[in-house]
Amino acid sequence: MLMKRPGFVSIFFMLLLSMAWSCKTAKKATNSGKLREQPVDIVLNEVKKRAIRPDWFSGRAKIGVESEELTVSFTAQIHLQTDSVLYLSLRKLGLEVARVLITPDSVFVINRFNSEYYKKGLDYLEKTFHFPGNFALLQDLLLGNPVASNAGGSGWEMVKEPPSYHLSQQTAGGPYQADYWVDGQTFQVVRWQWEDVLNGLRLELEQEQFGLGTDAQNFSYIRKALLDSRETGPVRLSLEFTKVEFDTPKEIQFVIPDNYQRVE
């Protein structure tokens, strides 16, 4: 099957998806002991307790994208004001190549290479990748909060796969299948897989290092992802945070130059 090459806007949405699970103080989640017998509800509650809920988040990260068509890397400055705005400035060799602003209903992308900009509804994410276009979900993904923290409590199954608990849920009446591997000692989600069989979309993510975040909750500094869809083909992404800051308000500047052309 021939795959379409990812467009400019598509790449930036894939970068957002790569943030799905989220330093000197970082540590790798490990557990070599035996797993206790526990109900699935207890494990889910422990996972939800580790959700990070700051008013502001800022971070600096290294981002890599690799597909059949391209290999590219960026550094990113990220600012999030919870429930309000998500801002990214992407740089290559010290020069800004793009700036992204996302609100609960819209996304703006400035392409410095071609002096152009894009404006899309946030539902573009769902229309293009069949992945829910929801601002609350995106900010949870950025903070490394597991999707399980938003999920309903029914329909979960769990088996022990030392050193992790393997939780799975299939949407009732729908094509979605979600799987989580939760470390049996720390209750950190170390791996996640989400699949939409009907639309041919699969997203796999791994977390490798954790450090202390706000309110002594755990924040993942290194994340790896695989996005495979009919529209993009297999795309591998990596995200490594080198600096994070919580609850410090930031000034967000997003100005589209008058000479930039809008692209549909």
Side-chain angles (χ1 to χ4, degrees), residues 245-257:
E245 189 176 7
F246 297 93
D247 288 322
T248 301
K250 301 292 183 179
E251 181 180 359
I252 295 177
Q253 296 184 352
F254 193 91
V255 179
I256 301 174

Side-chain angles (χ1 to χ4, degrees), residues 90-107:
L90 302 179
R91 292 181 174 271
K92 181 74 174 178
L93 299 176
L95 300 176
E96 186 177 61
V97 298
R99 190 171 290 195
V100 183
L101 185 75
I102 301 175
T103 67
D105 58 12
S106 301
V107 57

Side-chain angles (χ1 to χ4, degrees), residues 207-223:
Q207 300 187 124
E208 292 191 351
Q209 290 188 355
F210 297 84
L212 292 180
T214 183
D215 298 328
Q217 301 293 336
N218 289 310
F219 180 85
S220 77
Y221 282 73
I222 295 180
R223 312 172 195 181

Side-chain angles (χ1 to χ4, degrees), residues 86-132:
L86 172 60
Y87 165 92
L88 298 91
S89 173
L90 302 179
R91 292 181 174 271
K92 181 74 174 178
L93 299 176
L95 300 176
E96 186 177 61
V97 298
R99 190 171 290 195
V100 183
L101 185 75
I102 301 175
T103 67
D105 58 12
S106 301
V107 57
F108 300 83
V109 179
I110 295 176
N111 181 350
R112 300 291 190 195
F113 277 139
N114 298 325
S115 300
E116 59 192 22
Y117 73 96
Y118 303 77
K119 178 183 178 181
K120 301 283 186 180
L122 197 54
D123 58 357
Y124 173 85
L125 184 63
E126 187 162 2
K127 291 177 180 177
T128 304
F129 299 109
H130 310 289
F131 195 90

